[in-house]
């Protein structure tokens, strides 16, 4: 079955003023849509790969045929990353807060929630060019922050060497913020915390 562009779980203007409606519209209907289209194209004639989940395509990226590996890495990664990115955000005031369990893990790894936000933003600001900042849960329940270039993600063993399972990610490509913030990536990352959907992060942290 072909991969499809997901609907947003909220209106395009619901994340304003952190993220404006036009950015949301172009980001999903143009950029994300192109990743979906090009992923389906790359998988044409590969029935066994079309049957795999998007998670498994990312996890097994290193084992894919060389002829399509880069296309699936870029476009399958792009589809996974953006599908999650929409869910990792919610209108201000509706995203809840870190659970007691997640808070304890954040405090253990980063000292405090503010210490976490500072390190996460530094990972995003420090990513040269285009990419993502990630919060990952290791198998032992501890947390780590990393960043990846392009549309790589921490599920991609052997390519993105973050380790762990990504439970929160922020898109720091210019297309994610340039209309409203121009070159001010740090301002975008600061405003982004207002629309983080902690309910989804809590769910992914608890999932084993
Ligand atoms: Mn993007």
């Amino acid at each position: 079955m072909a991969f499809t562009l997901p609907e947003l779980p909220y209106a395009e203007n619901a994340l304003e003023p952190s993220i404006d409606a036009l950015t949301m519209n172009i980001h999903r209907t143009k950029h994300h849509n192109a990743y979906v289209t090009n992923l389906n194209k790359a998988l044409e004639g590969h029935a066994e790969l079309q049957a795999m989940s998007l998670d498994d395509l990312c996890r097994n990226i290193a084992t894919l045929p060389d002829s399509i590996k880069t296309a699936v890495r870029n476009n399958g990664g792009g589809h996974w990353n953006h599908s999650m990115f929409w869910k990792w955000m919610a209108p201000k005031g509706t995203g809840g807060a870190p659970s007691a369990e997640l808070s304890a893990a954040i405090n253990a790894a980063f000292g405090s929630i503010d210490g976490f936000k500072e390190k996460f933003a530094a990972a995003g600001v420090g990513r040269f060019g285009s990419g993502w900042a990630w919060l990952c849960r290791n198998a032992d329940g501890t947390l780590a922050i990393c960043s990846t270039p392009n549309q790589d993600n921490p599920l991609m063993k052997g390519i993105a060497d973050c380790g762990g399972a990504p439970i929160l990610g922020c898109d720091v490509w210019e297309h994610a913020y340039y209309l409203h913030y121009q070159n001010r990536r740090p301002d975008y990352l600061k405003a982004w915390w207002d629309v983080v959907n902690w309910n989804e992060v809590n769910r992914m942290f608890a999932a084993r």
Side-chain angles (χ1 to χ4, degrees):
M1 203 163 103
F3 290 102
T4 55
L5 185 69
E7 295 296 325
L8 285 179
Y10 37 75
E12 284 179 342
N13 65 358
L15 303 184
E16 292 186 348
S18 294
I19 303 180
D20 62 279
L22 183 59
T23 295
M24 291 299 291
N25 176 270
I26 295 172
H27 200 169
R28 189 181 69 92
T29 68
K30 306 295 183 195
H31 293 274
H32 188 175
N33 194 53
Y35 299 128
V36 173
T37 301
N38 290 325
L39 173 61
N40 286 328
K41 240 181 241 171
L43 296 180
E44 270 169 21
H46 296 271
E48 75 292 357
L49 299 180
Q50 289 169 354
M52 284 169 73
S53 71
L54 188 54
D55 282 50
D56 282 343
L57 280 173
C58 289
R59 285 196 189 98
N60 295 291
I61 197 79
T63 69
L64 298 190
D66 284 340
S67 57
I68 61 166
K69 193 182 290 186
T70 301
V72 175
R73 175 179 173 182
N74 290 339
N75 296 292
H79 183 31
W80 193 92
N81 297 351
H82 289 85
S83 298
M84 290 311 309
F85 188 52
W86 313 135
K87 292 186 196 174
W88 279 325
M89 299 188 291
K92 187 175 181 177
T94 69
S99 65
E101 294 77 12
L102 180 60
S103 292
I106 285 174
N107 291 340
F110 313 111
S112 65
I113 184 77
D114 286 342
F116 158 64
K117 287 181 177 179
E118 208 172 292
K119 282 191 178 139
F120 187 92
V125 171
R127 165 54 47 196
F128 183 77
S130 299
W132 291 73
W134 302 102
L135 175 66
C136 293
R137 190 205 65 226
N138 296 314
D140 64 1
T142 59
L143 297 174
I145 286 169
C146 65
S147 87
T148 55
N150 306 316
Q151 295 298 350
D152 291 352
N153 68 46
L155 293 177
M156 296 176 178
K157 287 184 188 66
I159 285 179
D161 204 19
C162 293
I167 62 172
L168 178 65
C170 184
D171 189 342
V172 299
W173 283 57
E174 285 186 344
H175 67 225
Y177 62 86
Y178 209 84
L179 287 180
H180 184 69
Y181 296 94
Q182 291 85 46
N183 60 317
R184 303 187 306 278
R185 189 188 288 183
D187 291 355
Y188 156 67
L189 279 158
K190 198 173 168 203
W192 182 72
W193 294 114
D194 284 343
V195 294
V196 167
N197 183 9
W198 289 105
N199 297 322
E200 179 67 10
V201 185
N202 292 337
R203 190 191 65 74
M204 294 186 84
F205 179 70
R208 299 282 162 171

